Amino acid sequence: MYQWFAENFWLTCLVIFIMMSFVYNKVFRTRRLPVLKALIVYVLLALGSFMLTFFQVLGPQIPIVPSLAVAILLMLILRIRYFVEGRRKKKDSGQTGQ
């Protein structure tokens, strides 16, 4: 896996940027930013993903992509849990109201 990341540096950088953007939008963004501020945030995310790509590919080969994948998986599990709890609460409140 690390060999593929090393051979496809720019694709790895793009994957890291997309995953970081997803995590930012789902976890850290509380409201919509003005265009210039949003542009600054995404430029900084791009610079950070470029730097993290070096950590993924060169040197100690830190598992950045798998770590981001685990973070996204945990976010998905949490969203499913909230969905199931919401349906259960709606079902419970419907039964007690009858």
Side-chain angles (χ1 to χ4, degrees):
M1 181 168 74
Y2 288 104
Q3 182 67 27
W4 186 86
F5 289 140
E7 291 172 359
N8 302 304
F9 181 83
W10 292 110
L11 190 59
T12 303
C13 188
L14 181 66
V15 168
I16 290 174
F17 175 73
I18 290 170
M19 293 173 111
M20 284 176 51
S21 298
F22 183 79
V23 170
Y24 165 72
N25 283 321
K26 295 297 179 187
V27 177
F28 296 107
R29 190 178 79 169
T30 57
R31 60 182 167 84
R32 195 159 174 87
L33 293 174
V35 176
L36 186 59
K37 289 181 181 179
L39 181 67
I40 291 171
V41 167
Y42 284 107
V43 166
L44 290 175
L45 281 174
L47 290 173
S49 67
F50 184 72
M51 185 175 59
L52 288 176
T53 304
F54 280 113
F55 291 135
Q56 173 74 44
V57 174
L58 304 173
Q61 295 182 343
I62 299 172
I64 302 297
V65 173
S67 299
L68 286 169
V70 167
I72 291 172
L73 179 68
L74 290 174
M75 290 168 40
L76 177 66
I77 290 171
L78 184 65
R79 185 163 303 252
I80 291 170
R81 179 178 169 210
Y82 284 155
F83 176 74
V84 169
E85 283 183 8
R87 287 188 61 163
R88 186 178 49 124
K89 285 181 182 179
K90 191 182 293 185
K91 182 181 174 185
D92 289 345
S93 65
Q95 288 179 353
T96 57
Q98 293 178 349

